[in-house]
Amino acid sequence: MGRWRDGYGGLTVKGADGEPRTRVPLEVATSYRARTKGLLGRDSLDGALLLSPANSVHTFRMRMPIDVAYLDRRLRVIAVRTMPPGRLGLPRLRARHVLEAEAGAMEGWGLRVGARVEVEVEREGA
């Protein structure tokens, strides 16, 4: 897995059998500046945003509700929540990364507790 840098790539959601199920565009935010900005000021998102390292998020000053998936160090989903704007998410002790997407997207991807994801960063410079 290694360390990622701010950039763009793809997120693959794997099924219970470990086979790839869905691939979506991914933005990766690993620097303090990129993680702090997150989805602030956006009206939409194509795919998902990975915040790393992170174990909690907030939706203050956001314009849209979002789906939030908390991932452990092995990129296994430990919790999924939909958060409306203006909320503070509780920190998840085992979480090392957080995925954000438009509300409803993760259900469509089959992203649920116990699922594993794979991250591929194709180019840097988010």
Side-chain angles (χ1 to χ4, degrees), residues 70-81:
Y70 299 88
L71 309 175
D72 68 12
R73 75 182 83 209
R74 291 189 174 98
L75 302 181
R76 186 173 303 278
V77 178
I78 57 176
V80 179
R81 300 285 179 264

Side-chain angles (χ1 to χ4, degrees), residues 112-123:
R112 56 184 56 91
V113 173
R116 287 193 72 166
V117 299
E118 191 173 279
V119 172
E120 182 180 329
V121 179
E122 297 164 355
R123 71 180 206 272

Side-chain angles (χ1 to χ4, degrees), residues 49-51 54-59 66-83 87-100 106 111-117:
L49 173 68
L50 175 69
L51 305 172
N55 67 356
S56 68
V57 296
H58 69 81
T59 57
I66 61 171
D67 282 348
V68 178
Y70 299 88
L71 309 175
D72 68 12
R73 75 182 83 209
R74 291 189 174 98
L75 302 181
R76 186 173 303 278
V77 178
I78 57 176
V80 179
R81 300 285 179 264
T82 299
M83 294 177 62
R87 299 295 166 92
L88 177 64
L90 295 174
R92 303 285 169 168
L93 295 178
R94 292 185 0 242
R96 297 294 178 264
H97 319 281
V98 175
L99 274 174
E100 296 180 342
M106 291 183 182
L111 195 74
R112 56 184 56 91
V113 173
R116 287 193 72 166
V117 299

